């Protein structure tokens, strides 16, 4: 199984906060495997550990116990700077609140990850323009976030996430701040990126119709995986 | 990468012009004070050194009275014996290695011309005085030997006296009144400006010694004798010869101390110059303390900046910035900020020193070394005081930082 190598594996992953009586387990022994090229939606009630899991998947956080491996690397045991390097090379992030730098143009926001990669400024500009074109934002390069609509800002954030051509896109409620029409536009964009670039996507959402775009849905309840269903009815042309 | 970061920090400084400026103020004032102090100070030192050569190079000055030192001045019963004409005569006759020997008696006297009047330093002397003190005439002539001998009522005046009485006009041949006697102006002295101690060296009138003694002092005393060494003779060699000749002339037995003092003007001036330099250093150090205050200002603003931009730091960390990237970003920002303050401070400091040099008529002596040091020091302050806030930013947890409102 050539495409079968797991990109992401959780092996009895725990994430706990606090001490003694007040100790809470955001994740309580999660086992999980995600392959390259998958588009996974993560759902579940508030406080069930979705964001916690996403942070670990994106190498922003590490498990308290258990093993998280990313691309076969034991990422849960890497130090801050090595995880920063992994994120820079292989992970793109999209957040609910866009998280763009204020008073900074769309193009400069998109270029940002390339700066930390040491890409020369000309090449950065070209790559940023390409990424902005991919998300359908040609002509808005020099607008600052304040001059863009929510949907456009999220497109800039997606462009920033894919400009490094990452393996994995981590999206925590990417449509949480958008209206229905904008939500579907963004989801179509993500679907396109998944299908055309083979980008692996893990996405948290509260909305069933957003999860519909994914090919697999994992439900979290109380820090555990309650269900894991693949969408089988996808028609192959 | 570094250039990128510098650009980035300049932009963030520009975004908050007013706040950046207020932050800079501490550094600006500190650096301006240090630069102004040191520049004015070294100008003063140069001025003092220039005054030395104005006193006449390699000059000994003899005055009556015991040299100050252990034992102090002579007892009450001992009346100070003034210098006299025969002492001068002995020196002229026996001293070798001197270029010029000249007597001088001095007094502040009211000088009148028409309805104008001025209190000037009036000196009775002879024609060798100009040579001994290295003074020059702009116009006219010195006293002749015969005028010196007979004590004719002629005089040389300084620039201040001329301006008071004649403006820019030609004073030669005019008669001024000095005390109750009148004398004819025969020459104008070259302007010498103020001494480092604020004394006007151009408010002077020179007249023949005998005229001075008869008509102004009313005695035959000589206050001091100026002796200029020739080019081959250092003053240290000349001094004991002068002492021997004078002890002999004044019939002082070997068991008694000299009743006159010989001052080496070169030494005195050197001491003055080094005292000025010490003072400058101290003032500079005091001004340096304000730099420290400026540094604390930088630290404060950088802490605010890090807190304000916690979310930005979170974003940068999330997309792959290393700790060192964040650290460098804020460190560079603090350094650029502080350097900017330093440069503005240097410009203001130099402007102040320039102003002072005009008003105090001292040379404008900016030192490249001091300016470089100020640049380096302000950059260092930025780095030192920016380090803690920058480290705080770099150590933030990306998840917490992203959650920050
Ligand atoms: N830094 C932390 N310190 C303490 N407790 C935390 C921390 N982060 C998360 N938790 C707790 O862990 C649990 C899971 O949080 P998480 O953010 O993963 O939930 P979620 O599923 O993303 O919820 P939501 O849908 O509201 O975003 C919650 O009970 C939360 O309070
Ligand atoms: Mg969440």
């Amino acid at each position: 199984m050539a495409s079968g190598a797991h990109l992401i594996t959780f092996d009895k992953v725990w994430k706990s906060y606090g001490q003694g009586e007040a100790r809470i387990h955001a994740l309580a022994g999660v086992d999980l495997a995600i392959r390259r090229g998958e588009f996974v939606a993560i759902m579940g009630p508030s406080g069930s550990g979705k964001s916690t899991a996403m942070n670990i998947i994106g190498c922003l956080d590490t498990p308290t116990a258990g093993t998280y491996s990313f691309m076969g690397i034991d990422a849960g045991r890497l130090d801050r700077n090595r995880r920063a390097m992994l994120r820079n090379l292989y992970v793109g992030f999209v957040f609910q609140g866009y998280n763009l730098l204020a008073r900074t143009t769309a193009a400069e926001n998109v270029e940002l990850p390339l700066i930390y990669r040491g890409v020369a400024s000309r090449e950065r500009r070209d790559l940023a323009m390409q990424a902005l074109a991919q998300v359908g934002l040609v002509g808005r390069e020099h607008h600052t976030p304040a001059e863009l609509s929510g949907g456009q800002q999220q497109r800039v954030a997606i462009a920033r996430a894919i400009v490094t051509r990452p393996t994995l896109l981590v999206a925590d409620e990417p449509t949480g701040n958008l209206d229905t029409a904008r939500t579907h536009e963004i989801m179509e964009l993500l679907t396109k990126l998944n299908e055309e670039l083979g980008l692996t996507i893990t996405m948290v959402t509260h909305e069933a119709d957003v999860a519909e775009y994914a090919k697999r849905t994992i439900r979290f309840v109380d820090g555990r995986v309650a269900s894991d269903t693949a969408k089988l009815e996808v028609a192959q042309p | 990468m570094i250039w990128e970061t510098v650009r980035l920090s300049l932009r963030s400084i520009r975004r908050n012009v007013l706040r950046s400026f207020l932050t800079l103020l501490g550094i600006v004032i500190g650096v301006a004070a240090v630069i102004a102090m040191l520049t004015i100070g070294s100008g003063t030192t140069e001025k003092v050194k220039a005054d030395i050569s104005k006193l006449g190079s390699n000059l000994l000055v003899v005055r009556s009275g015991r040299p100050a030192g252990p034992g102090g001045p002579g007892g009450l019963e001992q009346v100070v014996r003034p210098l006299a004409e025969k002492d001068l005569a002995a020196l002229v006759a026996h001293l070798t290695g001197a270029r010029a020997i000249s007597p001088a008696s001095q007094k502040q006297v009211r000088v009148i011309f028409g309805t104008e009047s001025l209190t000037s330093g009036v000196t009775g002397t002879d024609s060798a005085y100009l040579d001994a003190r290295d003074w020059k005439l702009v116009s006219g002539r010195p006293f002749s030997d015969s005028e010196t001998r007979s004590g004719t009522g002629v005089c040389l005046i300084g620039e201040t006296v001329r301006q008071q009485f004649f403006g820019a006009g030609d004073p030669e041949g005019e008669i001024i009144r000095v005390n109750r006697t009148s004398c004819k102006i025969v020459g104008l002295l070259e302007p010498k400006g103020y001494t480092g101690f604020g004394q006007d060296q151009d408010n002077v009138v020179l007249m023949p010694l005998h005229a001075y003694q008869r008509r102004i002092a009313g005695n035959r005393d000589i206050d001091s004798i100026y002796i200029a060494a020739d080019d081959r003779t250092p003053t240290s060699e000349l001094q004991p010869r002068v002492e021997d000749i004078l002890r002999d002339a004044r019939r002082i037995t070997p068991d008694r101390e000299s009743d006159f003092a010989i001052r080496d003007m070169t030494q005195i001036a050197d001491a003055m110059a080094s005292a000025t330099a010490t003072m400058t250093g101290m003032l500079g150090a005091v001004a340096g303390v304000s730099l420290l205050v400026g540094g604390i200002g930088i630290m404060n603003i950088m802490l605010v900046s890090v807190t304000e931009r916690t979310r930005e730091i979170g974003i940068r960390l999330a997309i792959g910035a290393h700790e060192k990237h964040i650290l460098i970003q804020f460190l560079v920002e603090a350094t650029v900020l502080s350097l900017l303050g330093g440069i503005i401070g240097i410009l203001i400091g130099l402007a102040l020193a320039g102003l002072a040099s005009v008003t105090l008529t001292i040379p404008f002596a900016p030192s490249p070394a001091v300016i470089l040091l100020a640049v380096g020091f302000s950059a260092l302050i930025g780095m030192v005081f920016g380090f803690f806030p920058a480290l705080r930013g770099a150590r933030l947890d990306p998840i917490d930082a992203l959650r920050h409102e």
Side-chain angles (χ1 to χ4, degrees):
Chain A
M1 35 194 259
S3 68
H6 286 136
L7 181 67
I8 287 164
T9 42
F10 275 49
D11 185 11
K12 297 185 197 63
V13 166
W14 289 73
K15 183 71 187 182
S16 314
Y17 296 103
Q19 296 294 323
E21 295 269 299
R23 194 160 175 86
I24 45 168
H25 304 291
L27 296 178
V30 173
D31 286 315
L32 194 66
I34 296 173
R35 295 174 207 281
R36 274 178 200 271
E38 281 200 78
F39 188 168
V40 180
I42 295 176
M43 300 189 74
S46 187
S48 58
K50 306 181 295 292
S51 293
T52 306
M54 289 298 260
N55 288 339
I56 291 175
I57 289 172
C59 300
L60 277 170
D61 210 350
T62 54
T64 313
T67 306
Y68 168 58
S69 80
F70 177 70
M71 302 176 81
I73 301 163
D74 189 353
R77 284 181 187 55
L78 295 179
D79 65 26
R80 267 170 71 100
N81 285 330
R82 282 183 197 280
R83 277 185 284 117
M85 202 188 305
L86 273 189
R87 291 198 295 273
N88 187 251
L89 290 173
Y90 304 114
V91 186
F93 288 90
V94 177
F95 306 92
Q96 178 177 359
Y98 323 129
N99 275 338
L100 300 174
L101 297 191
R103 286 169 291 192
T104 305
T105 66
E108 286 168 333
N109 264 292
V110 175
E111 281 182 41
L112 208 57
L114 298 173
I115 290 181
Y116 296 118
R117 212 180 246 213
V119 177
S121 103
R122 266 216 78 117
E123 199 187 342
R124 275 202 322 255
R125 190 115 299 212
D126 292 346
L127 289 172
M129 290 305 167
Q130 278 176 34
L132 283 166
Q134 276 179 302
V135 300
L137 270 186
V138 176
R140 298 292 157 99
E141 300 88 353
H142 302 300
H143 291 228
T144 61
E147 298 162 352
L148 295 169
S149 72
Q152 287 170 331
Q153 288 186 55
Q154 195 60 302
R155 281 167 192 273
V156 175
I158 293 170
R160 183 181 66 193
I162 62 171
V163 75
T164 57
R165 305 195 199 280
T167 310
L168 172 69
L169 185 79
V170 174
D172 196 342
E173 302 191 42
T175 60
N177 287 7
L178 301 176
D179 62 30
T180 319
R182 245 41 67 193
T183 295
H184 289 292
E185 282 173 23
I186 292 292
M187 288 318 299
E188 261 141 39
L189 175 59
L190 291 182
T191 306
K192 188 186 84 171
L193 294 171
N194 171 247
E195 285 171 356
E196 290 177 6
L197 306 177
L199 183 65
T200 313
I201 301 178
T202 57
M203 169 189 74
V204 172
T205 183
H206 281 289
E207 296 157 79
D209 55 337
V210 170
E212 275 299 297
Y213 285 89
K215 298 186 188 105
R216 178 181 168 191
T217 302
I218 300 172
R219 291 199 136 267
F220 274 70
V221 176
D222 289 341
R224 289 189 176 83
V225 175
S227 72
D228 186 344
T229 50
K231 203 156 74 177
L232 295 171
E233 71 271 25
V234 177
Q236 297 290 329
Chain B
M1 181 72 216
I2 272 287
W3 180 234
E4 208 67 53
T5 324
V6 171
R7 246 193 32 186
L8 200 81
S9 63
L10 278 175
R11 200 163 58 185
S12 96
I13 289 166
R14 200 147 17 107
R15 267 183 209 144
N16 279 304
V17 180
L18 181 64
R19 196 178 70 186
S20 303
F21 175 73
L22 291 176
T23 309
L24 290 185
L25 217 54
I27 298 282
V28 169
I29 292 172
V31 170
V34 171
I35 291 287
M37 286 300 176
L38 295 185
T39 308
I40 293 170
S42 69
T44 311
T45 309
E46 265 183 37
K47 171 77 171 172
V48 169
K49 281 187 183 148
D51 287 347
I52 296 160
S53 54
K54 275 183 201 150
L55 287 172
S57 46
N58 298 326
L59 192 65
L60 293 180
V61 180
V62 184
R63 286 180 211 280
S64 61
R66 270 207 208 147
L76 281 176
E77 77 282 7
Q78 188 182 355
V79 177
V80 174
R81 191 155 53 118
L83 296 167
E85 209 116 351
K86 66 170 173 38
D87 298 328
L88 180 68
L91 285 171
V92 171
H94 303 297
L95 186 61
T96 55
R99 189 185 73 225
I101 302 171
S102 170
S105 286
Q106 261 149 331
K107 206 170 178 179
Q108 291 293 314
V109 170
R110 180 151 291 266
V111 181
I112 298 163
F113 177 77
T115 53
E116 300 280 329
S117 82
L118 177 69
T119 301
S120 284
V122 176
T123 303
T125 184
D126 66 11
S127 47
Y129 190 72
L130 295 182
D131 189 17
R133 308 239 16 207
D134 239 352
W135 286 7
K136 296 195 173 48
L137 288 176
V138 185
S139 63
R141 57 166 182 87
F143 327 128
S144 65
D145 285 339
S146 70
E147 280 168 343
T148 307
R149 263 197 307 280
S150 58
T152 317
V154 290
C155 61
L156 305 173
I157 60 169
E159 181 61 25
T160 304
V161 179
R162 169 171 92 139
Q163 270 172 21
Q164 175 73 18
F165 295 148
F166 311 105
D170 179 10
E172 246 176 272
E174 301 286 355
I175 310 277
I176 54 174
R177 291 194 65 80
V178 180
N179 221 3
R180 273 173 312 274
T181 175
S182 57
C183 67
K184 191 173 99 185
I185 298 168
V186 295
L188 178 65
L189 294 163
E190 192 179 58
K192 288 167 290 292
Y194 285 79
T195 63
F197 318 103
Q199 194 187 357
D200 183 1
Q201 299 178 93
D202 296 323
N203 186 11
V204 292
V205 175
L206 301 187
M207 55 169 48
L209 179 65
H210 288 166
Y212 175 89
Q213 288 172 333
R214 255 203 316 275
R215 306 185 196 190
I216 291 166
N219 58 35
R220 309 220 53 189
D221 300 346
I222 294 173
D223 293 348
S224 38
I225 299 173
Y226 287 77
I227 302 161
D230 66 23
D231 292 340
R232 293 167 316 252
T233 317
T235 47
S236 55
E237 231 174 78
L238 202 57
Q239 185 162 352
R241 291 186 210 159
V242 172
E243 175 138 28
D244 286 346
I245 293 168
L246 284 179
R247 283 182 71 92
D248 201 39
R250 289 163 77 81
R251 305 195 188 293
I252 299 168
T253 51
D255 58 304
R256 287 174 52 211
E257 280 185 58
S258 301
D259 60 354
F260 57 89
I262 305 168
R263 282 201 281 170
D264 188 333
M265 296 314 276
T266 319
Q267 271 173 20
I268 290 171
D270 280 354
M272 289 297 186
S274 89
T276 316
T278 311
M279 183 111 123
T280 304
M282 268 160 57
L283 287 174
V286 170
V289 172
S290 58
L291 273 181
L292 207 69
V293 177
I296 292 165
I298 295 265
M299 172 132 83
N300 181 33
I301 212 66
M302 290 313 294
L303 280 172
V304 170
S305 180
V306 165
T307 310
E308 258 179 15
R309 285 150 71 191
T310 300
R311 208 178 169 81
E312 174 188 329
I313 294 171
I315 295 167
R316 289 177 183 275
L317 288 170
I319 64 175
H322 287 202
E323 274 180 35
K324 68 159 191 261
H325 291 132
I326 305 295
L327 188 76
I328 290 171
Q329 181 189 335
F330 284 95
L331 218 49
V332 166
E333 193 170 314
T335 307
V336 167
L337 201 62
S338 157
L339 204 57
L340 214 64
I343 290 167
I344 296 173
I346 287 169
L347 294 181
I348 293 179
L350 288 180
L352 286 178
L355 208 69
S357 80
V358 172
T359 51
L360 301 178
T361 62
I362 55 171
F364 178 56
S367 147
V370 166
I371 289 169
L372 269 177
L373 207 73
V375 169
F377 197 65
S378 50
L380 188 74
I381 279 186
M383 274 184 239
V384 168
F385 288 91
F387 188 78
F388 171 67
L391 193 67
R392 211 158 105 152
R395 290 272 167 85
L396 283 175
D397 179 65
I399 301 168
D400 291 341
L402 280 170
R403 226 184 264 139
H404 191 267
E405 279 317 309

